[in-house]
């Protein structure tokens, strides 16, 4: 489906777009839930990705890193609306969703363990909570939510991106 808002970020958009990995989760459920997650559970995922997926993942990562930095600036300025907008932008993860073909999605499912998918989904949910805290103007919840989101970044990197962030493993 071509969405002509495409690459623009609409901060308060209620959206049906799913995050990158949430799409994959839906496929995983469709394809055979209950297959035990064994073997390939932890360890860097990037080497198993197709070049296109790797690019998409890195693009998403860079964009959520920038959004996270901007959230910090908004938090310390008490700009609730901006916190909400940026967190919503992370939640939407629109770039990946727009650029993935059905084949890409299958490639992704073949390459990453289920726990990775679950973590990504949980991460996106945290960003949705943060967006809500911003909309509510609840500063305490924004601070706590931001902390939880950053913890989720690190937790996933320790497990699945230690090749990119070797110091995390120390
Ligand atoms: C579900 C897992 C997961 C979560 C959650 C996650 N990341 Fe990542 N991130 C990765 C993986 C895997 C890589 C390695 C990608 C590669 O090397 O190709 C990565 C790489 C990165 C990179 C390096 C990109 C590059 O160009 O090499 C940055 C920056 C980054 N993440 C930021 C973040 C931030 C900020 C958050 C949280 C707000 C976050 N990530 C949450 C899995 C995750």
């Amino acid at each position: 489906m071509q969405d002509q808002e495409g690459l623009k970020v609409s901060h308060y958009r209620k959206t049906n777009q799913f995050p990158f990995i949430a799409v994959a989760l839906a496929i995983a459920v469709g394809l055979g839930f209950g297959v035990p997650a064994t073997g390939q559970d932890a360890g860097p995922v990037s080497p198993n990705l197709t070049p296109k997926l790797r690019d998409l993942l890195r693009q998403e990562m860079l964009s959520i890193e920038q959004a996270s930095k901007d959230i910090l600036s908004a938090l310390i300025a008490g700009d609730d609306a901006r916190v909400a907008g940026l967190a919503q932008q992370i939640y939407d993860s629109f770039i990946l969703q727009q650029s993935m073909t059905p084949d890409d999605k299958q490639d992704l499912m073949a390459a990453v363990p289920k726990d990775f998918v679950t973590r990504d989904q949980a991460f996106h949910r945290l960003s949705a909570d943060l967006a809500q805290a911003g909309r509510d103007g609840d500063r305490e919840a924004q601070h706590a939510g931001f902390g939880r989101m950053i913890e989720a970044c690190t937790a996933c990197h320790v497990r699945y991106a230690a090749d990119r962030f070797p110091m995390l493993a120390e």
Side-chain angles (χ1 to χ4, degrees):
M1 187 177 78
Q2 279 297 359
D3 172 359
Q4 72 176 62
E5 282 190 325
L7 294 169
K8 277 189 222 130
V9 177
S10 169
H11 283 173
Y12 296 101
R13 185 158 49 121
K14 280 278 181 211
T15 176
N16 283 328
Q17 289 181 333
F18 292 105
F20 179 45
I21 308 289
V23 169
L25 180 69
I27 292 169
V29 170
L31 288 185
F33 208 41
V35 177
T38 49
Q40 45 149 265
D41 255 342
V45 295
S46 187
N48 299 330
L49 299 177
T50 61
K52 181 181 177 189
L53 283 176
R54 194 177 303 126
D55 278 357
L56 291 175
L57 177 62
R58 286 180 183 167
Q59 246 183 69
E60 178 183 25
M61 288 297 146
L62 293 176
S63 98
I64 65 180
E65 184 185 36
Q66 187 56 53
S68 301
K69 289 174 178 172
D70 293 344
I71 288 173
L72 175 65
S73 304
L75 281 176
I76 57 98
D79 191 342
D80 302 329
R82 188 159 158 73
V83 170
L86 289 162
Q88 186 68 39
Q89 177 184 329
I90 292 179
Y91 178 70
D92 289 348
S93 279
F94 52 92
I95 296 174
L96 285 169
Q97 169 63 10
Q98 295 259 327
S99 328
M100 284 222 297
T101 66
D103 278 354
D104 291 332
K105 289 169 195 170
Q106 281 198 350
D107 289 347
L108 177 72
M109 281 322 297
V112 302
K114 208 162 71 185
D115 173 71
F116 182 85
V117 173
T118 311
R119 270 171 201 275
D120 186 78
Q121 211 192 22
F123 165 73
H124 280 91
R125 191 146 298 145
L126 289 175
S127 63
D129 292 345
L130 179 56
Q132 189 57 51
R135 284 190 285 268
D136 293 343
D138 183 341
R139 303 258 161 84
E140 216 173 294
Q142 288 172 48
H143 294 173
F146 184 67
R148 275 196 292 275
M149 208 179 73
I150 300 302
E151 279 166 18
C153 313
T154 319
C156 188
H157 291 165
V158 168
R159 209 166 156 83
Y160 297 113
D163 52 344
R164 176 63 178 76
F165 301 110
M167 284 183 291
L168 275 177
E170 284 164 11

